[in-house]
Amino acid sequence: MIDGFKPKVAVVLGSGLGGFADEVKAVAKIPYADLPDFPRTTVSGHAGQLVLGHVGPTPVAVLQGRAHYYERGKPDEMAGAIRAIAEMGCETLVQTNAAGSLRLDMPPGSLMAISDHINFTGVNPLFGVDANRFVDMVDAYDPALMKKLLAVAKEVGVVCHEGVYIWFSGPSFETPAEIRAARVLGADAVGMSTTPETILARHAGLKVVGLSLMTNYAAGLVQGALAHEQTLAVADASAGQVAALLHAFLERY
Ligand code: HPA
């Protein structure tokens, strides 16, 4: 993509977390619109550009914004982008997202390393793919890298929980009954992204690390309605500690 630049780690920045891209010593910033395989993002809080550069000594490819299944009803919205980062030579995909918390001990503003996911949508980004489609999903979130993320969090003084992410299609938020069901199933955080990219990344042979920022309690956990504006406001307020953790993790990669 840029001659002679080979990123080691790719980072997807979730809703309201795009500001981390400013921490990259950029060698190039390319709008998705100029990249044929990259998605057209339609969600506020998702800029839609690829930033190539360094965090400390580590060469990175930062995807500032992602497309979601709910935008066009296509679970493989991110297939081209994931293929592109694999072809550029990335070995790991770090995923960030904004999520709803199913745990009272993870209030809005909390961070959670993703240990595993539950695909609750019934769709899969590998529908229609025939090459190597039976992808193993044991340890889909690389246990050694998650341990490293948690160790780095401790080192830089950021509290980071660990838990299971459940993917709902959106764009409507979940009902309280759905969230009660998700808790019974073993979920700790809920969101509308990440799972399809993890599946695509594992299909492409990339290791995956996941980091969720709780922007709200999930539906029904506490009184009150949910709104995307709250997601963006809490993400904005907590972006600093997400950035600090990401920076430290990437620098030490
Ligand atoms: N549900 C789904 N997606 C989300 C939520 C939520 O409560 N918060 C942020 N993204």
Side-chain angles (χ1 to χ4, degrees), residues 233-247:
V234 175
D236 193 47
S238 307
Q241 63 160 359
V242 176
L245 177 51
L246 274 182
H247 195 110

PDB file of all heavy atoms in Angstrom, residues 233-247:
ATOM      1  N   ALA A 233     -20.593  10.044  24.079  1.00  0.00           N
ATOM      2  CA  ALA A 233     -20.170  10.929  25.174  1.00  0.00           C
ATOM      3  C   ALA A 233     -19.248  10.182  26.138  1.00  0.00           C
ATOM      4  O   ALA A 233     -18.192  10.697  26.530  1.00  0.00           O
ATOM      5  CB  ALA A 233     -21.387  11.482  25.917  1.00  0.00           C
ATOM      6  N   VAL A 234     -19.623   8.950  26.521  1.00  0.00           N
ATOM      7  CA  VAL A 234     -18.779   8.192  27.462  1.00  0.00           C
ATOM      8  C   VAL A 234     -17.483   7.782  26.776  1.00  0.00           C
ATOM      9  O   VAL A 234     -16.402   7.826  27.378  1.00  0.00           O
ATOM     10  CB  VAL A 234     -19.532   6.960  28.028  1.00  0.00           C
ATOM     11  CG1 VAL A 234     -18.610   6.126  28.910  1.00  0.00           C
ATOM     12  CG2 VAL A 234     -20.759   7.395  28.816  1.00  0.00           C
ATOM     13  N   ALA A 235     -17.576   7.393  25.509  1.00  0.00           N
ATOM     14  CA  ALA A 235     -16.359   7.027  24.774  1.00  0.00           C
ATOM     15  C   ALA A 235     -15.404   8.211  24.735  1.00  0.00           C
ATOM     16  O   ALA A 235     -14.200   8.063  24.955  1.00  0.00           O
ATOM     17  CB  ALA A 235     -16.708   6.567  23.360  1.00  0.00           C
ATOM     18  N   ASP A 236     -15.965   9.391  24.519  1.00  0.00           N
ATOM     19  CA  ASP A 236     -15.145  10.598  24.466  1.00  0.00           C
ATOM     20  C   ASP A 236     -14.464  10.844  25.820  1.00  0.00           C
ATOM     21  O   ASP A 236     -13.266  11.114  25.894  1.00  0.00           O
ATOM     22  CB  ASP A 236     -16.036  11.787  24.074  1.00  0.00           C
ATOM     23  CG  ASP A 236     -15.197  12.990  23.693  1.00  0.00           C
ATOM     24  OD1 ASP A 236     -14.241  12.793  22.918  1.00  0.00           O
ATOM     25  OD2 ASP A 236     -15.468  14.094  24.190  1.00  0.00           O
ATOM     26  N   ALA A 237     -15.247  10.700  26.897  1.00  0.00           N
ATOM     27  CA  ALA A 237     -14.721  10.960  28.238  1.00  0.00           C
ATOM     28  C   ALA A 237     -13.654   9.939  28.645  1.00  0.00           C
ATOM     29  O   ALA A 237     -12.750  10.240  29.417  1.00  0.00           O
ATOM     30  CB  ALA A 237     -15.864  10.955  29.251  1.00  0.00           C
ATOM     31  N   SER A 238     -13.769   8.705  28.109  1.00  0.00           N
ATOM     32  CA  SER A 238     -12.842   7.636  28.516  1.00  0.00           C
ATOM     33  C   SER A 238     -11.764   7.373  27.473  1.00  0.00           C
ATOM     34  O   SER A 238     -10.930   6.482  27.662  1.00  0.00           O
ATOM     35  CB  SER A 238     -13.622   6.339  28.743  1.00  0.00           C
ATOM     36  OG  SER A 238     -14.678   6.543  29.630  1.00  0.00           O
ATOM     37  N   ALA A 239     -11.798   8.148  26.400  1.00  0.00           N
ATOM     38  CA  ALA A 239     -10.871   7.882  25.287  1.00  0.00           C
ATOM     39  C   ALA A 239      -9.419   7.961  25.754  1.00  0.00           C
ATOM     40  O   ALA A 239      -8.567   7.227  25.261  1.00  0.00           O
ATOM     41  CB  ALA A 239     -11.115   8.869  24.144  1.00  0.00           C
ATOM     42  N   GLY A 240      -9.154   8.824  26.747  1.00  0.00           N
ATOM     43  CA  GLY A 240      -7.798   9.002  27.236  1.00  0.00           C
ATOM     44  C   GLY A 240      -7.217   7.724  27.816  1.00  0.00           C
ATOM     45  O   GLY A 240      -6.089   7.342  27.497  1.00  0.00           O
ATOM     46  N   GLN A 241      -7.998   7.029  28.642  1.00  0.00           N
ATOM     47  CA  GLN A 241      -7.428   5.818  29.247  1.00  0.00           C
ATOM     48  C   GLN A 241      -7.372   4.669  28.240  1.00  0.00           C
ATOM     49  O   GLN A 241      -6.464   3.831  28.298  1.00  0.00           O
ATOM     50  CB  GLN A 241      -8.136   5.418  30.543  1.00  0.00           C
ATOM     51  CG  GLN A 241      -9.580   5.054  30.459  1.00  0.00           C
ATOM     52  CD  GLN A 241      -9.995   4.221  31.687  1.00  0.00           C
ATOM     53  OE1 GLN A 241      -9.180   3.936  32.560  1.00  0.00           O
ATOM     54  NE2 GLN A 241     -11.263   3.829  31.728  1.00  0.00           N
ATOM     55  N   VAL A 242      -8.311   4.643  27.295  1.00  0.00           N
ATOM     56  CA  VAL A 242      -8.221   3.637  26.222  1.00  0.00           C
ATOM     57  C   VAL A 242      -6.943   3.876  25.423  1.00  0.00           C
ATOM     58  O   VAL A 242      -6.178   2.953  25.135  1.00  0.00           O
ATOM     59  CB  VAL A 242      -9.454   3.707  25.284  1.00  0.00           C
ATOM     60  CG1 VAL A 242      -9.296   2.732  24.127  1.00  0.00           C
ATOM     61  CG2 VAL A 242     -10.732   3.411  26.058  1.00  0.00           C
ATOM     62  N   ALA A 243      -6.703   5.156  25.098  1.00  0.00           N
ATOM     63  CA  ALA A 243      -5.520   5.503  24.306  1.00  0.00           C
ATOM     64  C   ALA A 243      -4.238   5.161  25.063  1.00  0.00           C
ATOM     65  O   ALA A 243      -3.289   4.636  24.484  1.00  0.00           O
ATOM     66  CB  ALA A 243      -5.555   6.986  23.933  1.00  0.00           C
ATOM     67  N   ALA A 244      -4.222   5.450  26.371  1.00  0.00           N
ATOM     68  CA  ALA A 244      -3.024   5.165  27.178  1.00  0.00           C
ATOM     69  C   ALA A 244      -2.721   3.672  27.162  1.00  0.00           C
ATOM     70  O   ALA A 244      -1.567   3.258  26.987  1.00  0.00           O
ATOM     71  CB  ALA A 244      -3.224   5.660  28.603  1.00  0.00           C
ATOM     72  N   LEU A 245      -3.763   2.859  27.321  1.00  0.00           N
ATOM     73  CA  LEU A 245      -3.563   1.406  27.345  1.00  0.00           C
ATOM     74  C   LEU A 245      -3.129   0.902  25.972  1.00  0.00           C
ATOM     75  O   LEU A 245      -2.175   0.117  25.854  1.00  0.00           O
ATOM     76  CB  LEU A 245      -4.853   0.711  27.809  1.00  0.00           C
ATOM     77  CG  LEU A 245      -4.841  -0.814  27.815  1.00  0.00           C
ATOM     78  CD1 LEU A 245      -3.636  -1.368  28.563  1.00  0.00           C
ATOM     79  CD2 LEU A 245      -6.132  -1.351  28.429  1.00  0.00           C
ATOM     80  N   LEU A 246      -3.816   1.366  24.929  1.00  0.00           N
ATOM     81  CA  LEU A 246      -3.459   0.941  23.567  1.00  0.00           C
ATOM     82  C   LEU A 246      -2.025   1.327  23.239  1.00  0.00           C
ATOM     83  O   LEU A 246      -1.253   0.535  22.698  1.00  0.00           O
ATOM     84  CB  LEU A 246      -4.382   1.611  22.545  1.00  0.00           C
ATOM     85  CG  LEU A 246      -5.710   0.943  22.217  1.00  0.00           C
ATOM     86  CD1 LEU A 246      -6.415   1.761  21.151  1.00  0.00           C
ATOM     87  CD2 LEU A 246      -5.511  -0.494  21.753  1.00  0.00           C
ATOM     88  N   HIS A 247      -1.683   2.567  23.585  1.00  0.00           N
ATOM     89  CA  HIS A 247      -0.342   3.071  23.293  1.00  0.00           C
ATOM     90  C   HIS A 247       0.711   2.186  23.958  1.00  0.00           C
ATOM     91  O   HIS A 247       1.668   1.731  23.302  1.00  0.00           O
ATOM     92  CB  HIS A 247      -0.207   4.518  23.782  1.00  0.00           C
ATOM     93  CG  HIS A 247       0.985   5.237  23.228  1.00  0.00           C
ATOM     94  ND1 HIS A 247       0.894   6.245  22.326  1.00  0.00           N
ATOM     95  CD2 HIS A 247       2.303   5.035  23.426  1.00  0.00           C
ATOM     96  CE1 HIS A 247       2.105   6.665  21.988  1.00  0.00           C
ATOM     97  NE2 HIS A 247       2.982   5.929  22.651  1.00  0.00           N
TER      98      HIS A 247
END
